[in-house]
Amino acid sequence: ECLKYKSCSNLIVVEEEPPVVYEPNPNPENKIPDFCGDDYVNVHGDQNCRSICKERQCCLYEGGEGNCIFTNYNHKWCEGHEFCLNYDDVKLDAEINSRIYSCNVQWSDQCDAICKERSCCLQDGDDNCIHSAEPRWCDVTSMCPISFSYYGSSITANLDDPIVACSLETEEAVQKCYEFCYPYQCCFSENENENCYIDQQEECNKFEFCDSR
């Protein structure tokens, strides 16, 4: 009897299984290869891969200082971290944050040399290069003291410049950054009723760096 109606099987709709949605999770349940393997990326794109790589960029830190393969996390947290090396922005983030972490743990001559080399990021007036330097070149200076000796002269970061203030992590700079960014919090609100981006697009774009604060 069933064989007579075999052609009816063509009418059965087979629902496709929805893609796995990546949710940040501070344990090894989410595995990098699950979201970065070719089979997943070819079907669902690389957005989730980038998300998990950015969350676990500590797996890419140079040496053992701050590298979470060697610290608190189960090794499965970093399993497959080599997939993340496909993304230059993730590698650059890891390089910058690795250096900042290392220098915050133990200041060294190398840390001082980096701050001196990029001292223009902290200078006042026309000498400040934070707006003209290569993208991200000044990011690492968030670890630098606001004032430090450079070949015998004193350099003080210009905290009246919002971008300079928000690039540093000192207590004074963080407070200044908060004062600059507080009026523009609505630009980045995920609440549609609170978001003011459409009404203040020019100002919101001017302070887009506040989105990460």
Side-chain angles (χ1 to χ4, degrees), residues 92-93 96-97 100 118 121 130 134-143 167-168:
L92 182 58
D93 274 347
I96 291 170
N97 290 324
I100 292 172
R118 307 185 186 204
C121 302
I130 200 165
E134 291 182 21
R136 312 296 308 276
W137 194 72
C138 288
D139 285 11
V140 74
T141 58
S142 64
M143 71 184 183
S167 71
L168 300 172

Side-chain angles (χ1 to χ4, degrees), residues 18-123:
V20 180
V21 177
Y22 171 70
E23 295 179 0
N25 195 344
N27 64 52
E29 288 180 11
N30 289 328
K31 296 182 175 62
I32 294 174
D34 291 346
F35 298 95
C36 295
D38 289 342
D39 290 344
Y40 182 91
V41 171
N42 288 339
V43 175
H44 305 299
D46 66 357
Q47 183 177 352
N48 286 332
C49 178
R50 285 178 175 275
S51 295
I52 195 170
C53 283
K54 286 185 177 181
E55 178 192 52
R56 304 187 186 190
Q57 62 175 261
C58 59
C59 302
L60 305 176
Y61 281 11
E62 296 177 6
E65 198 71 73
N67 189 309
C68 46
I69 294 178
F70 307 105
T71 53
N72 301 332
Y73 296 114
N74 185 305
H75 280 225
K76 290 183 179 178
W77 170 267
C78 289
E79 186 179 310
H81 68 279
E82 59 273 7
F83 281 106
C84 301
L85 297 174
N86 293 325
Y87 302 106
D88 290 339
D89 58 328
V90 174
K91 286 194 295 183
L92 182 58
D93 274 347
E95 180 184 331
I96 291 170
N97 290 324
S98 174
R99 173 55 55 199
I100 292 172
Y101 183 94
S102 178
C103 289
N104 283 338
V105 170
Q106 184 172 1
W107 193 260
S108 66
D109 290 342
Q110 187 177 15
C111 304
D112 196 52
I114 291 172
C115 287
K116 288 177 178 177
E117 176 194 24
R118 307 185 186 204
S119 61
C120 63
C121 302
L122 305 172
Q123 292 191 30

Side-chain angles (χ1 to χ4, degrees), residues 100-191:
I100 292 172
Y101 183 94
S102 178
C103 289
N104 283 338
V105 170
Q106 184 172 1
W107 193 260
S108 66
D109 290 342
Q110 187 177 15
C111 304
D112 196 52
I114 291 172
C115 287
K116 288 177 178 177
E117 176 194 24
R118 307 185 186 204
S119 61
C120 63
C121 302
L122 305 172
Q123 292 191 30
D124 291 330
D126 294 338
D127 292 329
N128 188 288
C129 64
I130 200 165
H131 301 288
S132 58
E134 291 182 21
R136 312 296 308 276
W137 194 72
C138 288
D139 285 11
V140 74
T141 58
S142 64
M143 71 184 183
C144 302
I146 289 181
S147 298
F148 64 95
S149 175
Y150 179 64
Y151 296 133
S153 63
S154 177
I155 292 177
T156 302
N158 178 18
L159 297 186
D160 291 327
D161 185 321
I163 296 180
V164 173
C166 291
S167 71
L168 300 172
E169 298 294 337
T170 63
E171 184 176 349
E172 185 181 358
V174 169
Q175 178 60 37
K176 274 282 192 179
C177 177
Y178 175 79
E179 291 171 6
F180 285 126
C181 291
Y182 181 78
Y184 304 100
Q185 286 182 330
C186 62
C187 297
F188 318 106
S189 174
E190 295 180 0
N191 185 322

